[in-house]
Amino acid sequence: MGTRTRVELGRREDLGADCANCFGLCCVALAFTTSADFPFDKPAGEPCPNLDDHDGCRVHAQLRPHGFKGCTVFDCFGAGQKTSRHTFAGRSWRDDNQIRTAMFAAFPIIRRLHELLWYLDQASALVEAADRDATPWLQRFERVRELSDLPGERLLDLDVDAEYDAARPLLIQASEIARRGEIARQGVRSDRSRRRTRTLGPQSDLMGARLTRADLQGICLRGSTLIAADLSGARLAHCDLLGVDLRDADLSGADLEDAIYLTQMQVNSARGDAATRLPPGFQRPPHWV
Ligand code: SF4
């Protein structure tokens, strides 16, 4: 739950949830199914029975004990307040049946655009940190930002997949620039460190792997599965975590401060402790206590 009140999208600080300025969209517009994350099925467009009349959650303080683990993991990347306050100018789905369908359709589109903005924002920061010209990254950010500002009816015609396809080479290039810099900073790693990580790469299946105190700095794990992996004490500076599944991974004492393309949702889905180092602006999930 965020405390930010700005609605106009600037940079990273506007790409996190601001529930106080949202009409509970994730609790209405999205579907969920009975699983380890939710205790019952709910179709898209139906309000969750726990949503109160003021768009608050009646079981907010007890989501996990009530079986709503998925709610503690989800992050809208700021799409909730954007859809509520900007796209639909403060009109709620409760007040206006006419906009209800359009609003529920626009919300997931804006969320995907905001997620892409999150990645592009970090990519341009990585390129700038390497003293390279970040113009192509900033231009792509601006294009996606402008798309996220479109009126609801025009959003529905967007090809969001095409926007991701256009951005992907830039994300990969920025990651390579940052990881090359990290490897150069480290110099030659110890033999033991190399042995442990030499087989790791994109799309690795590392479910339940023991990577305790592993040196993962400068490694690309893009698209890998690290469900329930032990990453306690691991070092992940400039480790590319784009799309990595960190559900129930143990991040206790791990250093993720400079991890690449890490999201709040990945952090929320993992386990950690007070010693886990997170990037600036990230929130330590309450269930880590
Ligand atoms: S349990 Fe609470 S947070 Fe989760 S969908 Fe329902 S109202 Fe929203």
Side-chain angles (χ1 to χ4, degrees):
M1 300 287 170
T3 55
R4 291 177 288 276
T5 54
R6 277 185 63 205
V7 173
E8 290 300 315
L9 180 65
R11 296 288 295 263
R12 172 165 290 211
E13 63 269 23
D14 298 301
L15 297 172
D18 178 3
C19 304
N21 276 302
C22 174
F23 298 129
L25 292 179
C26 62
C27 310
V28 189
L30 306 181
F32 47 73
T33 51
T34 310
S35 62
D37 289 332
F38 300 104
F40 49 76
D41 293 346
K42 184 193 84 62
E46 285 291 318
C48 170
N50 291 327
L51 189 69
D52 67 26
D53 293 342
H54 307 287
D55 301 321
C57 173
R58 291 188 184 91
V59 294
H60 175 64
Q62 294 233 307
L63 284 166
R64 289 204 167 211
H66 281 82
F68 293 94
K69 183 180 176 185
C71 303
T72 66
V73 171
F74 182 80
D75 181 41
C76 73
F77 290 95
Q81 67 264 27
K82 178 72 166 286
T83 308
S84 300
R85 303 293 170 186
H86 175 86
T87 316
F88 291 91
R91 287 173 298 156
S92 171
W93 53 273
R94 294 180 191 274
D95 309 328
D96 188 344
N97 260 337
Q98 300 237 307
I99 62 162
R100 192 182 167 106
T101 307
M103 192 175 220
F104 295 162
F107 171 61
I109 294 170
I110 295 174
R111 183 180 178 274
R112 286 196 70 204
L113 293 171
H114 274 213
E115 183 176 9
L116 183 53
L117 287 172
W118 175 266
Y119 296 134
L120 285 167
D121 179 59
Q122 185 170 21
S124 42
L126 291 171
V127 174
E128 285 168 348
D131 282 333
R132 302 272 287 263
D133 178 12
T135 303
W137 285 265
L138 295 169
Q139 286 175 338
R140 179 57 51 182
F141 182 97
E142 280 310 304
R143 175 184 163 77
V144 178
R145 188 187 63 78
E146 284 171 13
L147 292 177
S148 74
D149 278 341
L150 286 174
E153 65 277 9
R154 290 192 54 200
L155 280 165
L156 304 186
D157 295 330
L158 270 187
D159 184 348
V160 183
D161 288 340
E163 298 303 321
Y164 270 79
D165 289 344
R168 195 165 292 114
L170 291 171
L171 300 184
I172 292 171
Q173 195 183 343
S175 168
E176 285 169 352
I177 290 169
R179 286 185 291 110
R180 268 201 303 272
E182 183 62 44
I183 300 287
R185 267 191 300 280
Q186 288 173 30
V188 181
R189 293 189 195 172
S190 71
D191 285 349
R192 184 162 179 267
S193 180
R194 276 204 304 273
R195 266 201 307 278
R196 279 191 86 189
T197 59
R198 71 184 167 200
T199 57
L200 302 186
Q203 316 293 337
S204 293
D205 182 359
L206 295 165
M207 188 183 287
R210 282 206 54 173
L211 292 163
T212 321
R213 291 188 291 281
D215 180 0
L216 301 171
Q217 298 175 105
I219 286 179
C220 181
L221 291 175
R222 193 180 308 134
S224 295
T225 301
L226 281 112
I227 296 171
D230 184 354
L231 288 158
S232 54
R235 288 168 289 156
L236 295 107
H238 293 117
C239 175
D240 187 334
L241 295 174
L242 185 67
V244 169
D245 193 336
L246 286 171
R247 276 177 293 166
D248 294 322
D250 186 357
L251 302 178
S252 303
D255 183 0
L256 295 110
E257 190 168 3
D258 292 314
I260 299 175
Y261 303 138
L262 183 70
T263 66
Q264 184 69 51
M265 268 189 79
Q266 286 171 311
V267 170
N268 293 347
S269 73
R271 295 177 288 129
D273 64 11
T276 307
R277 293 184 65 185
L278 296 172
F282 275 64
Q283 295 176 9
R284 199 171 299 276
H287 54 267
W288 278 14
V289 174

